[in-house]
Amino acid sequence: MQTLTIQPISYVEGIINLPGSKSISNRVLLLSALAKGHTILTNLLDSTDIFYMLKALKILGIEYQLSNNRKKCVVKGIGDFFNYNKSGLEIFLGNAGTAIRPLTAVLSLSNSAVVLTGDSRMKKRPILHLINALQQGGAKIEYLEQYGYPPIKIKGGFHGSEYITLDCYISSQFLTAILIAAPLASHDSVIKIKGNLVSKPYIDITLRLMRDFGVEVKNECYYKFYIKAKQQYVSPGKYVIEGDASTASYFLAAAAIKGGIVKVKGVGKNSLQGDIKFAAVLKNMGANIFLGKNFVECKRNTLIGIDMDLNEIPDAAMTIAILGIFADGETIIRNIYNWRVKESDRLSAMAFELRKLGVKVTEGYDYIRILGSKKLNHAKIMTYNDHRIAMCFSLVALSNTPVTLLYPDCVAKTFPNYFGALEMLSYRYYNHAIKI
């Protein structure tokens, strides 16, 4: 079993250049493939999720050139939806939700069959609401194992419809998927949202990127979306991918707990990503925050517990849960049911692992309550093959207690060098703090 023990970190300070956003990287890779012309992408994220998207595009006949450091990619777009004719085509996508959801929608435009599958966790991540909506637009999709979950067999047929109803209380990626596919369909589409749309800022990212590639969508208060048919994506020529705001949360949180000033470069007040709101939550907890155009700075201060609905920033909200350990009083994070259907059941995982540390935790259906703790136990933290669990619990070392992470390599999903970056900022009580 691979383990990583991080000894107590006494102080953090420095500058971090953020890797590219995962959400933006996989969206622009797909849009570049569908667009007319060549697109030069820079600051592409080098991670396993991006690897799966690149592999899928190659299987589907897309030509691209990837630099040696995997951060620059030149994509030759086809100016249409994918047109392939291979029998028995199967694409394995690991646990990359940002790949399987949009690919499901875009591949339903073709009339050739393809199977999309993934690892054991992917087979537990629901896709029913997306497929129901695509079927309303004519798509022919069947489940190969468990109803409502991958693997799936797509046989094309999606032509669009003005009567698509989509349930998005589990994932905004379902809406992102149809929004990207619908402009290439033969009929106009109207998507009506049923119930609560989670993570609205991610839809803002999708709409902005579609606009950058020449396609407009009419958004009626996130309740209805109107998409004209028979459009074409057009390459913007060059596209610089901004830093990952979710990843920024760990370094900003470290500064709030044990800074020193930490500056994260690559996101700022003009960021496309909703997780930039994490900085405002940190400020509410008492941290000293400064937002620049393309950077965020954070400095330590006394932290106080909060009670907030963090539905719009579910990934960064996990970091708030860890901050709750170090805050005075109680921290309650609400309206986060969709933690349960991410790379792991993050609500249960977070509660279970925090209790190992001696933290008092209450886990609810869609909330978590954490009581600040002055003394923590040294514990072995299971990471559940979930990059965000591993990165969050690394921050426990900012206490006077070491922390041991089991299977820490799962951070490769979004930031393979995360622990190296954290170590670069860290001053420690002991030498040789990180042991693998």
Side-chain angles (χ1 to χ4, degrees), residues 34-98:
L34 299 172
K36 179 181 179 181
H38 290 63
T39 306
I40 302 171
L41 303 175
T42 55
N43 199 36
L44 184 72
L45 177 62
D46 177 18
S47 74
T48 54
D49 272 24
I50 308 308
F51 165 80
Y52 285 121
M53 178 63 88
L54 285 168
K55 184 179 177 182
L57 294 178
K58 188 172 185 179
I59 291 171
L60 294 167
I62 299 301
E63 298 177 18
Y64 59 82
Q65 293 179 324
L66 192 62
S67 65
N68 290 336
N69 67 2
R70 304 181 67 85
K71 293 182 180 180
K72 180 180 177 181
C73 189
V74 181
V75 183
K76 183 180 179 181
I78 55 176
D80 204 347
F81 56 81
F82 300 117
N83 187 14
Y84 52 91
N85 189 16
K86 300 177 183 178
S87 60
L89 189 63
E90 179 174 308
I91 301 175
F92 180 85
L93 295 167
N95 193 14
T98 56

Short mmCIF file of all heavy atoms in Angstrom, two decimals, residues 34-98:
data_model
loop_
_atom_site.label_atom_id
_atom_site.label_comp_id
_atom_site.label_asym_id
_atom_site.label_seq_id
_atom_site.Cartn_x
_atom_site.Cartn_y
_atom_site.Cartn_z
N LEU A 34 -14.47 20.05 -32.38
CA LEU A 34 -15.70 20.24 -33.15
C LEU A 34 -15.66 21.48 -34.03
O LEU A 34 -16.46 21.62 -34.96
CB LEU A 34 -16.90 20.36 -32.19
CG LEU A 34 -17.19 19.15 -31.29
CD1 LEU A 34 -18.27 19.51 -30.27
CD2 LEU A 34 -17.59 17.94 -32.11
N ALA A 35 -14.72 22.37 -33.77
CA ALA A 35 -14.69 23.67 -34.44
C ALA A 35 -14.03 23.62 -35.81
O ALA A 35 -13.23 22.71 -36.12
CB ALA A 35 -13.95 24.69 -33.56
N LYS A 36 -14.33 24.61 -36.59
CA LYS A 36 -13.66 24.80 -37.88
C LYS A 36 -12.33 25.51 -37.63
O LYS A 36 -12.30 26.57 -36.99
CB LYS A 36 -14.53 25.64 -38.81
CG LYS A 36 -13.91 25.90 -40.17
CD LYS A 36 -14.84 26.76 -41.02
CE LYS A 36 -14.22 27.05 -42.39
NZ LYS A 36 -15.11 27.92 -43.21
N GLY A 37 -11.24 24.93 -38.12
CA GLY A 37 -9.93 25.55 -37.99
C GLY A 37 -9.07 24.92 -36.91
O GLY A 37 -9.49 24.03 -36.18
N HIS A 38 -7.83 25.38 -36.84
CA HIS A 38 -6.88 24.92 -35.84
C HIS A 38 -6.97 25.79 -34.60
O HIS A 38 -7.11 27.01 -34.71
CB HIS A 38 -5.44 24.97 -36.38
CG HIS A 38 -5.15 23.95 -37.43
ND1 HIS A 38 -5.79 23.93 -38.66
CD2 HIS A 38 -4.28 22.91 -37.44
CE1 HIS A 38 -5.32 22.93 -39.38
NE2 HIS A 38 -4.39 22.29 -38.66
N THR A 39 -6.86 25.17 -33.43
CA THR A 39 -6.87 25.91 -32.17
C THR A 39 -5.60 25.60 -31.40
O THR A 39 -5.24 24.42 -31.22
CB THR A 39 -8.08 25.55 -31.30
OG1 THR A 39 -9.29 25.73 -32.06
CG2 THR A 39 -8.14 26.44 -30.07
N ILE A 40 -4.92 26.65 -30.95
CA ILE A 40 -3.71 26.49 -30.13
C ILE A 40 -4.10 26.73 -28.68
O ILE A 40 -4.45 27.85 -28.29
CB ILE A 40 -2.61 27.48 -30.56
CG1 ILE A 40 -2.26 27.29 -32.05
CG2 ILE A 40 -1.37 27.30 -29.70
CD1 ILE A 40 -1.35 28.37 -32.60
N LEU A 41 -4.06 25.67 -27.88
CA LEU A 41 -4.41 25.76 -26.47
C LEU A 41 -3.14 25.82 -25.63
O LEU A 41 -2.24 25.00 -25.82
CB LEU A 41 -5.23 24.54 -26.05
CG LEU A 41 -6.52 24.28 -26.83
CD1 LEU A 41 -7.16 22.97 -26.39
CD2 LEU A 41 -7.50 25.43 -26.67
N THR A 42 -3.06 26.78 -24.72
CA THR A 42 -1.91 26.87 -23.82
C THR A 42 -2.38 26.81 -22.37
O THR A 42 -3.53 27.11 -22.06
CB THR A 42 -1.11 28.16 -24.05
OG1 THR A 42 -1.99 29.30 -23.94
CG2 THR A 42 -0.49 28.18 -25.44
N ASN A 43 -1.47 26.40 -21.50
CA ASN A 43 -1.74 26.12 -20.09
C ASN A 43 -2.77 25.02 -19.92
O ASN A 43 -3.56 25.02 -18.96
CB ASN A 43 -2.18 27.38 -19.32
CG ASN A 43 -2.01 27.21 -17.80
OD1 ASN A 43 -1.06 26.57 -17.35
ND2 ASN A 43 -2.93 27.75 -17.03
N LEU A 44 -2.77 24.06 -20.84
CA LEU A 44 -3.63 22.88 -20.72
C LEU A 44 -3.23 22.11 -19.47
O LEU A 44 -2.04 21.96 -19.17
CB LEU A 44 -3.47 22.00 -21.95
CG LEU A 44 -4.36 20.76 -22.06
CD1 LEU A 44 -5.80 21.16 -22.34
CD2 LEU A 44 -3.86 19.82 -23.16
N LEU A 45 -4.20 21.63 -18.73
CA LEU A 45 -3.91 20.83 -17.55
C LEU A 45 -3.33 19.48 -17.96
O LEU A 45 -3.84 18.82 -18.86
CB LEU A 45 -5.20 20.61 -16.75
CG LEU A 45 -5.08 19.73 -15.50
CD1 LEU A 45 -4.13 20.34 -14.49
CD2 LEU A 45 -6.45 19.49 -14.90
N ASP A 46 -2.26 19.09 -17.30
CA ASP A 46 -1.67 17.76 -17.51
C ASP A 46 -2.13 16.86 -16.37
O ASP A 46 -1.61 16.93 -15.26
CB ASP A 46 -0.14 17.87 -17.53
CG ASP A 46 0.54 16.51 -17.68
OD1 ASP A 46 -0.14 15.55 -18.09
OD2 ASP A 46 1.75 16.42 -17.37
N SER A 47 -3.16 16.07 -16.63
CA SER A 47 -3.71 15.20 -15.59
C SER A 47 -4.42 14.02 -16.24
O SER A 47 -4.59 13.97 -17.45
CB SER A 47 -4.70 15.98 -14.72
OG SER A 47 -5.92 16.19 -15.41
N THR A 48 -4.85 13.07 -15.40
CA THR A 48 -5.47 11.86 -15.95
C THR A 48 -6.80 12.16 -16.65
O THR A 48 -7.12 11.55 -17.66
CB THR A 48 -5.69 10.81 -14.85
OG1 THR A 48 -6.43 11.39 -13.78
CG2 THR A 48 -4.37 10.30 -14.32
N ASP A 49 -7.60 13.08 -16.11
CA ASP A 49 -8.88 13.40 -16.75
C ASP A 49 -8.67 13.96 -18.16
O ASP A 49 -9.43 13.66 -19.08
CB ASP A 49 -9.66 14.41 -15.91
CG ASP A 49 -10.52 13.73 -14.86
OD1 ASP A 49 -10.20 12.58 -14.49
OD2 ASP A 49 -11.52 14.33 -14.42
N ILE A 50 -7.64 14.78 -18.32
CA ILE A 50 -7.35 15.35 -19.63
C ILE A 50 -6.80 14.26 -20.55
O ILE A 50 -7.12 14.23 -21.75
CB ILE A 50 -6.35 16.51 -19.51
CG1 ILE A 50 -6.84 17.52 -18.46
CG2 ILE A 50 -6.14 17.19 -20.86
CD1 ILE A 50 -8.25 18.02 -18.62
N PHE A 51 -6.01 13.36 -20.00
CA PHE A 51 -5.49 12.23 -20.78
C PHE A 51 -6.64 11.43 -21.39
O PHE A 51 -6.59 11.06 -22.57
CB PHE A 51 -4.65 11.33 -19.87
CG PHE A 51 -4.37 9.97 -20.45
CD1 PHE A 51 -3.36 9.79 -21.39
CD2 PHE A 51 -5.12 8.86 -20.06
CE1 PHE A 51 -3.11 8.53 -21.93
CE2 PHE A 51 -4.87 7.61 -20.60
CZ PHE A 51 -3.86 7.44 -21.53
N TYR A 52 -7.69 11.19 -20.61
CA TYR A 52 -8.81 10.40 -21.13
C TYR A 52 -9.56 11.14 -22.24
O TYR A 52 -9.99 10.52 -23.23
CB TYR A 52 -9.77 10.03 -20.01
CG TYR A 52 -9.25 8.92 -19.12
CD1 TYR A 52 -9.08 9.10 -17.75
CD2 TYR A 52 -8.91 7.67 -19.66
CE1 TYR A 52 -8.58 8.09 -16.95
CE2 TYR A 52 -8.42 6.65 -18.86
CZ TYR A 52 -8.25 6.87 -17.51
OH TYR A 52 -7.76 5.86 -16.71
N MET A 53 -9.70 12.45 -22.12
CA MET A 53 -10.34 13.20 -23.19
C MET A 53 -9.49 13.18 -24.45
O MET A 53 -9.99 12.96 -25.56
CB MET A 53 -10.61 14.64 -22.76
CG MET A 53 -11.24 15.51 -23.85
SD MET A 53 -12.89 14.97 -24.41
CE MET A 53 -13.91 15.85 -23.21
N LEU A 54 -8.19 13.39 -24.30
CA LEU A 54 -7.29 13.36 -25.46
C LEU A 54 -7.31 11.99 -26.13
O LEU A 54 -7.34 11.89 -27.37
CB LEU A 54 -5.87 13.72 -25.03
CG LEU A 54 -5.61 15.20 -24.72
CD1 LEU A 54 -4.27 15.36 -24.02
CD2 LEU A 54 -5.63 16.04 -26.00
N LYS A 55 -7.30 10.95 -25.33
CA LYS A 55 -7.34 9.59 -25.88
C LYS A 55 -8.63 9.36 -26.65
O LYS A 55 -8.63 8.77 -27.74
CB LYS A 55 -7.21 8.58 -24.75
CG LYS A 55 -7.14 7.13 -25.21
CD LYS A 55 -6.99 6.19 -24.02
CE LYS A 55 -6.99 4.73 -24.46
NZ LYS A 55 -6.90 3.81 -23.30
N ALA A 56 -9.75 9.83 -26.10
CA ALA A 56 -11.04 9.67 -26.77
C ALA A 56 -11.06 10.41 -28.10
O ALA A 56 -11.54 9.88 -29.12
CB ALA A 56 -12.16 10.19 -25.87
N LEU A 57 -10.54 11.64 -28.13
CA LEU A 57 -10.52 12.42 -29.36
C LEU A 57 -9.68 11.72 -30.43
O LEU A 57 -10.04 11.71 -31.62
CB LEU A 57 -9.99 13.82 -29.09
CG LEU A 57 -10.87 14.71 -28.20
CD1 LEU A 57 -10.21 16.06 -27.98
CD2 LEU A 57 -12.27 14.88 -28.78
N LYS A 58 -8.57 11.15 -30.00
CA LYS A 58 -7.72 10.42 -30.96
C LYS A 58 -8.45 9.23 -31.55
O LYS A 58 -8.41 8.99 -32.77
CB LYS A 58 -6.43 9.97 -30.27
CG LYS A 58 -5.40 9.39 -31.23
CD LYS A 58 -4.07 9.15 -30.51
CE LYS A 58 -3.01 8.67 -31.49
NZ LYS A 58 -1.70 8.46 -30.80
N ILE A 59 -9.15 8.47 -30.71
CA ILE A 59 -9.92 7.33 -31.18
C ILE A 59 -10.99 7.78 -32.18
O ILE A 59 -11.29 7.08 -33.16
CB ILE A 59 -10.57 6.60 -29.99
CG1 ILE A 59 -9.49 5.90 -29.15
CG2 ILE A 59 -11.62 5.58 -30.46
CD1 ILE A 59 -10.01 5.35 -27.84
N LEU A 60 -11.53 8.97 -31.97
CA LEU A 60 -12.59 9.50 -32.83
C LEU A 60 -12.06 10.19 -34.08
O LEU A 60 -12.82 10.76 -34.86
CB LEU A 60 -13.47 10.47 -32.03
CG LEU A 60 -14.27 9.82 -30.89
CD1 LEU A 60 -14.84 10.87 -29.96
CD2 LEU A 60 -15.39 8.93 -31.46
N GLY A 61 -10.75 10.12 -34.28
CA GLY A 61 -10.16 10.62 -35.52
C GLY A 61 -9.67 12.05 -35.49
O GLY A 61 -9.33 12.61 -36.54
N ILE A 62 -9.59 12.66 -34.32
CA ILE A 62 -9.13 14.04 -34.23
C ILE A 62 -7.60 14.08 -34.20
O ILE A 62 -6.96 13.34 -33.45
CB ILE A 62 -9.69 14.73 -32.96
CG1 ILE A 62 -11.22 14.75 -33.01
CG2 ILE A 62 -9.12 16.13 -32.80
CD1 ILE A 62 -11.79 15.49 -34.19
N GLU A 63 -7.04 14.95 -35.01
CA GLU A 63 -5.60 15.13 -35.05
C GLU A 63 -5.19 16.28 -34.13
O GLU A 63 -5.82 17.35 -34.15
CB GLU A 63 -5.13 15.43 -36.48
CG GLU A 63 -5.41 14.30 -37.46
CD GLU A 63 -4.99 14.66 -38.89
OE1 GLU A 63 -4.19 15.60 -39.04
OE2 GLU A 63 -5.49 14.01 -39.83
N TYR A 64 -4.17 16.05 -33.34
CA TYR A 64 -3.66 17.12 -32.48
C TYR A 64 -2.17 16.88 -32.22
O TYR A 64 -1.67 15.76 -32.36
CB TYR A 64 -4.43 17.20 -31.15
CG TYR A 64 -4.40 15.93 -30.32
CD1 TYR A 64 -3.31 15.63 -29.49
CD2 TYR A 64 -5.47 15.05 -30.33
CE1 TYR A 64 -3.29 14.48 -28.74
CE2 TYR A 64 -5.46 13.90 -29.57
CZ TYR A 64 -4.37 13.61 -28.78
OH TYR A 64 -4.35 12.48 -28.02
N GLN A 65 -1.51 17.95 -31.84
CA GLN A 65 -0.09 17.88 -31.48
C GLN A 65 0.06 18.38 -30.05
O GLN A 65 -0.32 19.51 -29.74
CB GLN A 65 0.76 18.73 -32.41
CG GLN A 65 0.80 18.21 -33.85
CD GLN A 65 1.63 19.11 -34.75
OE1 GLN A 65 1.63 20.32 -34.60
NE2 GLN A 65 2.35 18.50 -35.69
N LEU A 66 0.62 17.54 -29.19
CA LEU A 66 0.78 17.85 -27.79
C LEU A 66 2.26 18.10 -27.50
O LEU A 66 3.12 17.31 -27.91
CB LEU A 66 0.25 16.69 -26.94
CG LEU A 66 0.05 16.91 -25.44
CD1 LEU A 66 -0.97 18.00 -25.17
CD2 LEU A 66 -0.39 15.59 -24.79
N SER A 67 2.56 19.19 -26.82
CA SER A 67 3.94 19.52 -26.50
C SER A 67 4.53 18.51 -25.52
O SER A 67 3.79 17.75 -24.86
CB SER A 67 4.03 20.93 -25.92
OG SER A 67 3.36 20.98 -24.66
N ASN A 68 5.86 18.51 -25.40
CA ASN A 68 6.53 17.56 -24.51
C ASN A 68 6.09 17.71 -23.06
O ASN A 68 6.00 16.73 -22.32
CB ASN A 68 8.05 17.71 -24.63
CG ASN A 68 8.57 17.23 -25.97
OD1 ASN A 68 7.94 16.40 -26.63
ND2 ASN A 68 9.72 17.75 -26.38
N ASN A 69 5.82 18.94 -22.64
CA ASN A 69 5.37 19.14 -21.25
C ASN A 69 3.86 19.01 -21.10
O ASN A 69 3.32 19.20 -20.01
CB ASN A 69 5.83 20.49 -20.71
CG ASN A 69 5.17 21.68 -21.40
OD1 ASN A 69 4.31 21.53 -22.27
ND2 ASN A 69 5.58 22.88 -21.02
N ARG A 70 3.16 18.70 -22.20
CA ARG A 70 1.73 18.42 -22.23
C ARG A 70 0.87 19.61 -21.84
O ARG A 70 -0.31 19.46 -21.52
CB ARG A 70 1.39 17.21 -21.34
CG ARG A 70 2.17 15.95 -21.66
CD ARG A 70 1.78 14.78 -20.79
NE ARG A 70 0.43 14.36 -21.05
CZ ARG A 70 0.04 13.50 -22.00
NH1 ARG A 70 0.95 13.00 -22.81
NH2 ARG A 70 -1.22 13.17 -22.15
N LYS A 71 1.42 20.81 -21.91
CA LYS A 71 0.67 22.01 -21.54
C LYS A 71 0.23 22.83 -22.74
O LYS A 71 -0.52 23.80 -22.60
CB LYS A 71 1.51 22.87 -20.59
CG LYS A 71 1.75 22.23 -19.24
CD LYS A 71 2.52 23.13 -18.31
CE LYS A 71 2.76 22.47 -16.96
NZ LYS A 71 3.52 23.36 -16.04
N LYS A 72 0.71 22.48 -23.92
CA LYS A 72 0.30 23.15 -25.15
C LYS A 72 -0.21 22.10 -26.13
O LYS A 72 0.42 21.07 -26.32
CB LYS A 72 1.47 23.93 -25.76
CG LYS A 72 1.12 24.65 -27.06
CD LYS A 72 2.33 25.41 -27.61
CE LYS A 72 2.00 26.08 -28.94
NZ LYS A 72 3.18 26.81 -29.49
N CYS A 73 -1.34 22.38 -26.74
CA CYS A 73 -1.93 21.42 -27.66
C CYS A 73 -2.51 22.17 -28.85
O CYS A 73 -3.26 23.13 -28.69
CB CYS A 73 -3.03 20.62 -26.96
SG CYS A 73 -3.65 19.22 -27.92
N VAL A 74 -2.13 21.73 -30.04
CA VAL A 74 -2.70 22.28 -31.28
C VAL A 74 -3.69 21.27 -31.82
O VAL A 74 -3.31 20.13 -32.15
CB VAL A 74 -1.60 22.58 -32.32
CG1 VAL A 74 -2.22 23.19 -33.58
CG2 VAL A 74 -0.54 23.52 -31.74
N VAL A 75 -4.96 21.66 -31.88
CA VAL A 75 -6.03 20.75 -32.27
C VAL A 75 -6.53 21.12 -33.67
O VAL A 75 -6.86 22.28 -33.92
CB VAL A 75 -7.20 20.80 -31.27
CG1 VAL A 75 -8.29 19.79 -31.66
CG2 VAL A 75 -6.70 20.53 -29.85
N LYS A 76 -6.61 20.13 -34.54
CA LYS A 76 -7.17 20.34 -35.87
C LYS A 76 -8.66 20.00 -35.83
O LYS A 76 -9.05 18.84 -35.75
CB LYS A 76 -6.46 19.45 -36.90
CG LYS A 76 -6.94 19.65 -38.34
CD LYS A 76 -6.18 18.74 -39.30
CE LYS A 76 -6.69 18.92 -40.73
NZ LYS A 76 -5.97 18.00 -41.66
N GLY A 77 -9.49 21.03 -35.87
CA GLY A 77 -10.93 20.82 -35.76
C GLY A 77 -11.54 20.29 -37.04
O GLY A 77 -10.99 20.45 -38.13
N ILE A 78 -12.71 19.66 -36.90
CA ILE A 78 -13.39 19.07 -38.06
C ILE A 78 -14.56 19.91 -38.54
O ILE A 78 -15.15 19.63 -39.58
CB ILE A 78 -13.88 17.63 -37.75
CG1 ILE A 78 -14.76 17.62 -36.49
CG2 ILE A 78 -12.69 16.69 -37.59
CD1 ILE A 78 -15.36 16.26 -36.17
N GLY A 79 -14.95 20.93 -37.77
CA GLY A 79 -16.02 21.83 -38.20
C GLY A 79 -17.39 21.18 -38.24
O GLY A 79 -18.29 21.64 -38.94
N ASP A 80 -17.59 20.13 -37.46
CA ASP A 80 -18.86 19.40 -37.45
C ASP A 80 -18.84 18.42 -36.28
O ASP A 80 -17.85 18.35 -35.55
CB ASP A 80 -19.05 18.65 -38.77
CG ASP A 80 -20.51 18.37 -39.09
OD1 ASP A 80 -21.36 18.53 -38.19
OD2 ASP A 80 -20.81 17.98 -40.24
N PHE A 81 -19.92 17.63 -36.13
CA PHE A 81 -19.87 16.58 -35.11
C PHE A 81 -19.05 15.41 -35.62
O PHE A 81 -18.73 15.32 -36.81
CB PHE A 81 -21.27 16.15 -34.66
CG PHE A 81 -22.17 15.68 -35.77
CD1 PHE A 81 -22.09 14.40 -36.27
CD2 PHE A 81 -23.16 16.53 -36.29
CE1 PHE A 81 -22.94 13.95 -37.27
CE2 PHE A 81 -24.01 16.10 -37.30
CZ PHE A 81 -23.90 14.81 -37.79
N PHE A 82 -18.70 14.49 -34.74
CA PHE A 82 -17.84 13.37 -35.10
C PHE A 82 -18.54 12.46 -36.10
O PHE A 82 -19.69 12.11 -35.95
CB PHE A 82 -17.45 12.57 -33.86
CG PHE A 82 -16.70 13.37 -32.83
CD1 PHE A 82 -17.24 13.57 -31.57
CD2 PHE A 82 -15.46 13.92 -33.12
CE1 PHE A 82 -16.56 14.31 -30.62
CE2 PHE A 82 -14.78 14.67 -32.18
CZ PHE A 82 -15.32 14.86 -30.93
N ASN A 83 -17.80 12.08 -37.14
CA ASN A 83 -18.33 11.20 -38.17
C ASN A 83 -17.37 10.03 -38.32
O ASN A 83 -16.36 10.10 -39.02
CB ASN A 83 -18.48 11.95 -39.49
CG ASN A 83 -19.18 11.12 -40.55
OD1 ASN A 83 -19.78 10.10 -40.24
ND2 ASN A 83 -19.10 11.57 -41.79
N TYR A 84 -17.65 8.97 -37.63
CA TYR A 84 -16.77 7.81 -37.61
C TYR A 84 -17.56 6.58 -38.05
O TYR A 84 -18.79 6.54 -37.95
CB TYR A 84 -16.18 7.58 -36.21
CG TYR A 84 -17.24 7.53 -35.14
CD1 TYR A 84 -17.82 6.33 -34.76
CD2 TYR A 84 -17.70 8.70 -34.53
CE1 TYR A 84 -18.82 6.29 -33.81
CE2 TYR A 84 -18.69 8.67 -33.58
CZ TYR A 84 -19.24 7.46 -33.22
OH TYR A 84 -20.24 7.42 -32.28
N ASN A 85 -16.88 5.58 -38.51
CA ASN A 85 -17.56 4.36 -38.96
C ASN A 85 -16.70 3.16 -38.61
O ASN A 85 -16.08 2.53 -39.46
CB ASN A 85 -17.82 4.42 -40.46
CG ASN A 85 -18.71 3.27 -40.92
OD1 ASN A 85 -19.36 2.62 -40.10
ND2 ASN A 85 -18.73 3.02 -42.23
N LYS A 86 -16.62 2.90 -37.31
CA LYS A 86 -15.82 1.79 -36.82
C LYS A 86 -16.74 0.86 -36.03
O LYS A 86 -17.44 1.31 -35.12
CB LYS A 86 -14.69 2.29 -35.91
CG LYS A 86 -13.71 3.25 -36.57
CD LYS A 86 -12.68 3.73 -35.56
CE LYS A 86 -11.73 4.75 -36.18
NZ LYS A 86 -10.75 5.27 -35.18
N SER A 87 -16.73 -0.40 -36.37
CA SER A 87 -17.58 -1.34 -35.64
C SER A 87 -16.91 -1.72 -34.31
O SER A 87 -15.69 -1.79 -34.20
CB SER A 87 -17.81 -2.61 -36.48
OG SER A 87 -16.58 -3.24 -36.78
N GLY A 88 -17.74 -1.92 -33.31
CA GLY A 88 -17.23 -2.34 -32.00
C GLY A 88 -16.41 -1.29 -31.28
O GLY A 88 -15.57 -1.62 -30.46
N LEU A 89 -16.67 -0.01 -31.57
CA LEU A 89 -15.88 1.06 -30.97
C LEU A 89 -16.24 1.20 -29.48
O LEU A 89 -17.41 1.32 -29.12
CB LEU A 89 -16.14 2.38 -31.70
CG LEU A 89 -15.24 3.56 -31.33
CD1 LEU A 89 -13.80 3.27 -31.69
CD2 LEU A 89 -15.71 4.82 -32.06
N GLU A 90 -15.20 1.19 -28.63
CA GLU A 90 -15.38 1.36 -27.20
C GLU A 90 -14.35 2.35 -26.68
O GLU A 90 -13.17 2.27 -27.03
CB GLU A 90 -15.26 0.03 -26.47
CG GLU A 90 -15.43 0.15 -24.96
CD GLU A 90 -15.46 -1.21 -24.24
OE1 GLU A 90 -16.27 -2.07 -24.66
OE2 GLU A 90 -14.68 -1.40 -23.29
N ILE A 91 -14.79 3.29 -25.84
CA ILE A 91 -13.90 4.30 -25.29
C ILE A 91 -13.95 4.22 -23.77
O ILE A 91 -15.02 4.36 -23.17
CB ILE A 91 -14.30 5.72 -25.75
CG1 ILE A 91 -14.25 5.80 -27.29
CG2 ILE A 91 -13.37 6.76 -25.15
CD1 ILE A 91 -14.74 7.13 -27.85
N PHE A 92 -12.78 4.02 -23.15
CA PHE A 92 -12.66 3.94 -21.70
C PHE A 92 -12.26 5.31 -21.17
O PHE A 92 -11.29 5.90 -21.62
CB PHE A 92 -11.60 2.89 -21.32
CG PHE A 92 -11.41 2.73 -19.83
CD1 PHE A 92 -12.24 1.89 -19.09
CD2 PHE A 92 -10.40 3.41 -19.17
CE1 PHE A 92 -12.07 1.75 -17.73
CE2 PHE A 92 -10.22 3.27 -17.80
CZ PHE A 92 -11.05 2.43 -17.08
N LEU A 93 -13.02 5.82 -20.18
CA LEU A 93 -12.82 7.18 -19.71
C LEU A 93 -12.49 7.27 -18.23
O LEU A 93 -12.63 8.34 -17.61
CB LEU A 93 -14.07 8.02 -20.03
CG LEU A 93 -14.34 8.20 -21.52
CD1 LEU A 93 -15.74 8.75 -21.76
CD2 LEU A 93 -13.30 9.12 -22.16
N GLY A 94 -12.02 6.15 -17.65
CA GLY A 94 -11.63 6.18 -16.25
C GLY A 94 -12.77 6.67 -15.38
O GLY A 94 -13.88 6.16 -15.42
N ASN A 95 -12.49 7.72 -14.57
CA ASN A 95 -13.52 8.33 -13.73
C ASN A 95 -13.66 9.81 -14.09
O ASN A 95 -13.89 10.65 -13.22
CB ASN A 95 -13.16 8.17 -12.25
CG ASN A 95 -14.32 8.50 -11.33
OD1 ASN A 95 -15.47 8.60 -11.76
ND2 ASN A 95 -14.03 8.69 -10.05
N ALA A 96 -13.50 10.11 -15.37
CA ALA A 96 -13.51 11.50 -15.85
C ALA A 96 -14.92 11.94 -16.20
O ALA A 96 -15.39 11.78 -17.34
CB ALA A 96 -12.59 11.66 -17.05
N GLY A 97 -15.62 12.53 -15.23
CA GLY A 97 -16.98 13.02 -15.47
C GLY A 97 -17.02 14.13 -16.50
O GLY A 97 -17.98 14.23 -17.28
N THR A 98 -15.98 14.98 -16.52
CA THR A 98 -15.94 16.08 -17.50
C THR A 98 -15.67 15.59 -18.91
O THR A 98 -15.72 16.37 -19.85
CB THR A 98 -14.87 17.12 -17.12
OG1 THR A 98 -13.59 16.47 -17.01
CG2 THR A 98 -15.21 17.81 -15.82
#
